[in-house]
Amino acid sequence: MSDTATLEIQPGRLFIGGEWQDAASGKTFDTINPATAETLTQLAEGGADDVDRAARAARTAFESDAWQKLDARKRGRLLYAIADGLEARADELARLETMDNGKPVKEARMIDIKESIDCFRYYAGWADKIEGDVIPVPGPYLNYTRREPVGVCGAIIPWNYPLPMAAWKVAPALACGNAMVLKPAEQTSLTALELARIAAEAGLPAGILNVVTGFGESAGAALVAHPEVDKIAFTGSTAVGKIIQRQAADTLKRVSLELGGKSPNIVLEDADVDAAVRGASMAIFYNTGQACTAGSRLLVHESIRDEFVEKLVKRAAGFVPGDPMDPKTRLGPLVSQEQLDRVLGYIEQGKAEGGNLLMGGDRVEVNGKRGYFVNPAIFGGVTSRMTIACEEIFGPVLAVQTFKDLDEALEIGNSTEYGLAAAVWTKDVRKAHVAAHKLRAGTVWINTYHNLDTASPFGGYKQSGYGRELGRHALDLYTQVKSVWVNLG
Ligand code: NAI
Ligand code: MG
């Protein structure tokens, strides 16, 4: 099939205990193609009853011999088989993701699907390497630790990278021997359902991975409240992260939160300007700005500001909104009408507060369809107080500020409540590392942007959340340590 071929998409049901089921209420909801605003299909609208069935199915499967007696190496092989299953259907999954989310199909294939496959392979390798310690304690005792699974883990994920967000949670959780209930974002549930199908075909025991589609306030909240769920891993907005942390208190669930960002991208006066211009445009326009690590605040040294912005505006003009199923398209639509309204609202607010809109920011039609497309927007004359410099917009909207020296750049850079990522462009190795150490963010890029790898930890400082996903750090989220004492006296 060519990249532009469309898929026949079946209505989605819940996947609970290894079976496809309707919601207890019988309710369904539409999932939309954001490039056309047309309905793709209907999904089961899971609610508290469905989450309850899924959590109990996960508990039963977790405690079963089929899972408890499966040795770790075989668990690893299941994860390799899931990776192979994803790879065998990679092109189709990329098209499905593009139709559901709107991201350019080439990026869906080369980034989202590839990264998801990598993630399963990486954690497959960890499954039989999760070791405890032997600890030298006083007295005639042997003390050792075991790293045991947490139990039933709930994952609540967003719509911007649907399959990778599922993989980042499901792969380490399964590698560590947990069972799972996954609640995908209501906007983009289709690839999560395919992941469940592929995992079952790979031989994962029934009930180890359950998927409940539905809305946050109902299905998501029920998962957070459920007493059989031992842990919640969440990626999404800071506002919902706070709700989840509060509600998790009732059952003392473990929580890990990967939340919003307002990442500063700092260009010092000695930077390679052309490289930094390329980096700055990709930092904000990649995935139509719908990335938690988006470089949404560009801080440029005042001495190079005019040259830099002129080149940036030229480069940004190359990000033309287009049909995401066309492999040449680099800028797809926003994910939903709601996100479109939010982004256009921020653009209006930026103008009203005195920002100087240098380009873009208008809604456009592609192929005569009222999809959720916006031209890339760049604001000059931005001050730290303006809303567009403080709040996460999650769209192709860049706020440009200037600074006099590195200290001021770092002060502005650290001035939001977020701390997910930051970048600095300079040829001065001392300044690069001073900046890397002083920026309060979970990831810092030097002369690059948006790098990410399954092997490298990822997560936030401040109100961007806590807990580190990816790399070996994620194993800490999905295991608990038991200390065992043996009397040798
Ligand atoms: P959201 O945080 O509401 O949604 C993320 C996930 O949380 C979805 O699966 C949703 O169903 C679930 N959810 C919502 N309310 C819940 C609740 N009370 N209890 C349990 N689960 C709940 O994000 P939304 O509304 O889609 O986007 C709003 C803004 O959030 C965006 O404009 C962006 O700024 C930010 N965002 C940040 C993301 C990130 O990667 N850090 C990802 C998605 C959105
Ligand atoms: Mg959708």
Side-chain angles (χ1 to χ4, degrees), residues 177-191:
N178 298 279
M180 279 222 117
V181 179
L182 170 65
K183 209 296 282 170
E186 53 270 32
Q187 299 84 352
T188 57
S189 301
L190 295 173
T191 50

Side-chain angles (χ1 to χ4, degrees), residues 282-295:
M282 189 266 289
I284 184 63
F285 301 131
Y286 163 61
N287 216 40
T288 319
Q290 302 168 121
C292 47
T293 49

Side-chain angles (χ1 to χ4, degrees), residues 40-94:
L40 285 170
T41 192
Q42 282 75 40
L43 302 173
E45 187 183 328
D49 289 349
D50 306 296
V51 166
D52 180 54
R53 267 185 295 130
R56 284 188 289 112
R59 174 64 59 191
T60 302
F62 175 70
E63 288 174 355
S64 70
D65 282 355
W67 194 239
Q68 291 297 330
K69 292 193 176 162
L70 186 73
D71 69 57
R73 197 154 297 170
K74 287 191 179 145
R75 224 165 51 228
R77 267 193 238 134
L78 278 176
L79 288 165
Y80 281 121
I82 295 172
D84 292 345
L86 291 170
E87 194 163 55
R89 292 180 52 196
D91 292 339
E92 180 199 341
L93 289 168

Side-chain angles (χ1 to χ4, degrees), residues 46-393:
D49 289 349
D50 306 296
V51 166
D52 180 54
R53 267 185 295 130
R56 284 188 289 112
R59 174 64 59 191
T60 302
F62 175 70
E63 288 174 355
S64 70
D65 282 355
W67 194 239
Q68 291 297 330
K69 292 193 176 162
L70 186 73
D71 69 57
R73 197 154 297 170
K74 287 191 179 145
R75 224 165 51 228
R77 267 193 238 134
L78 278 176
L79 288 165
Y80 281 121
I82 295 172
D84 292 345
L86 291 170
E87 194 163 55
R89 292 180 52 196
D91 292 339
E92 180 199 341
L93 289 168
R95 289 198 300 278
L96 188 64
E97 201 76 290
T98 290
M99 289 172 74
D100 204 15
N101 163 284
K103 64 178 63 207
V105 71
K106 195 170 160 200
E107 290 172 17
R109 176 67 186 84
M110 297 314 293
I111 298 168
D112 291 56
I113 309 302
K114 179 182 176 299
E115 194 181 288
S116 304
I117 297 165
D118 282 354
C119 186
F120 275 95
R121 293 224 166 100
Y122 175 82
Y123 287 105
W126 268 114
D128 62 354
K129 298 169 193 68
I130 299 167
E131 299 168 343
D133 299 306
V134 177
I135 297 165
V137 290
Y141 298 100
L142 166 65
N143 178 247
Y144 67 94
T145 60
R146 285 166 53 80
R147 296 188 71 178
E148 299 184 345
V150 174
V152 174
C153 299
I156 301 176
I157 59 172
W159 42 259
N160 55 339
Y161 294 92
L163 192 61
M165 291 300 100
W168 287 20
K169 292 168 173 61
V170 173
L174 298 188
C176 293
N178 298 279
M180 279 222 117
V181 179
L182 170 65
K183 209 296 282 170
E186 53 270 32
Q187 299 84 352
T188 57
S189 301
L190 295 173
T191 50
L193 295 171
E194 291 313 302
L195 172 63
R197 193 186 310 279
I198 287 167
E201 284 165 7
L204 192 71
I208 293 297
L209 173 60
N210 306 278
V211 181
V212 177
T213 50
F215 294 94
E217 298 75 15
S218 43
L223 193 57
V224 177
H226 202 285
E228 285 293 347
V229 176
D230 300 296
K231 180 213 157 49
I232 292 287
F234 172 73
T235 300
S237 63
T238 292
V240 171
K242 289 178 187 182
I243 295 173
I244 288 177
Q245 176 156 341
R246 270 187 219 109
Q247 295 190 337
D250 288 338
T251 48
L252 276 180
K253 276 184 186 52
R254 290 153 185 72
V255 176
S256 51
L257 301 171
E258 197 267 276
L259 308 174
K262 192 72 187 174
S263 301
N265 187 20
I266 300 172
V267 184
L268 302 185
E269 64 270 40
D270 68 343
D272 174 341
V273 167
D274 292 332
V277 165
R278 284 195 299 276
S281 57
M282 189 266 289
I284 184 63
F285 301 131
Y286 163 61
N287 216 40
T288 319
Q290 302 168 121
C292 47
T293 49
S296 51
R297 290 187 295 148
L298 176 66
L299 313 184
V300 191
H301 191 269
E302 56 186 16
S303 67
I304 58 167
R305 189 264 180 205
D306 291 348
E307 177 201 358
F308 197 94
V309 169
E310 191 183 315
K311 288 184 167 173
L312 184 65
V313 166
K314 257 193 213 131
R315 186 156 184 97
F319 284 82
V320 182
D323 176 359
M325 289 299 254
D326 180 341
K328 289 193 286 296
T329 293
R330 294 177 67 198
L331 196 78
L334 293 159
V335 76
S336 63
Q337 179 72 48
E338 190 189 6
Q339 197 59 20
L340 175 71
D341 294 343
R342 189 180 284 137
V343 169
L344 293 175
Y346 275 117
I347 291 167
E348 285 314 308
Q349 203 168 354
K351 289 193 253 180
E353 291 179 13
N356 178 15
L357 184 60
L358 301 171
M359 67 176 288
D362 49 317
R363 184 177 184 181
V364 288
E365 283 188 9
V366 169
N367 293 345
K369 302 270 188 185
R370 289 287 281 173
Y372 313 125
F373 294 93
V374 184
N375 272 319
I378 299 180
F379 274 98
V382 176
T383 63
S384 295
R385 291 245 184 102
M386 290 181 188
T387 308
I388 56 167
C390 302
E391 294 185 15
E392 181 174 56
I393 298 176

Side-chain angles (χ1 to χ4, degrees), residues 368-484:
K369 302 270 188 185
R370 289 287 281 173
Y372 313 125
F373 294 93
V374 184
N375 272 319
I378 299 180
F379 274 98
V382 176
T383 63
S384 295
R385 291 245 184 102
M386 290 181 188
T387 308
I388 56 167
C390 302
E391 294 185 15
E392 181 174 56
I393 298 176
F394 237 59
V397 183
L398 180 64
V400 184
Q401 296 180 251
T402 56
F403 60 86
K404 288 190 186 57
D405 56 25
L406 181 60
D407 282 346
E408 191 189 11
L410 298 177
E411 191 191 312
I412 299 171
N414 284 330
S415 66
T416 72
E417 66 189 24
Y418 295 111
L420 195 59
V424 59
W425 299 80
T426 177
K427 290 181 189 133
D428 184 326
V429 80
R430 185 192 70 81
K431 286 182 178 169
H433 290 282
V434 166
H437 295 195
K438 289 197 173 163
L439 285 162
R440 290 198 282 150
T443 295
V444 176
W445 290 294
I446 298 171
N447 295 330
T448 183
Y449 207 98
H450 271 328
N451 306 66
L452 192 95
D453 188 79
T454 297
S456 179
F458 181 82
Y461 276 34
K462 300 197 282 182
Q463 293 194 33
S464 292
Y466 53 84
R468 290 293 174 269
E469 299 193 284
L470 303 181
R472 68 183 152 77
H473 294 266
L475 305 175
D476 294 337
L477 303 180
Y478 296 101
T479 54
Q480 49 194 349
V481 176
K482 179 179 282 174
S483 176
V484 180

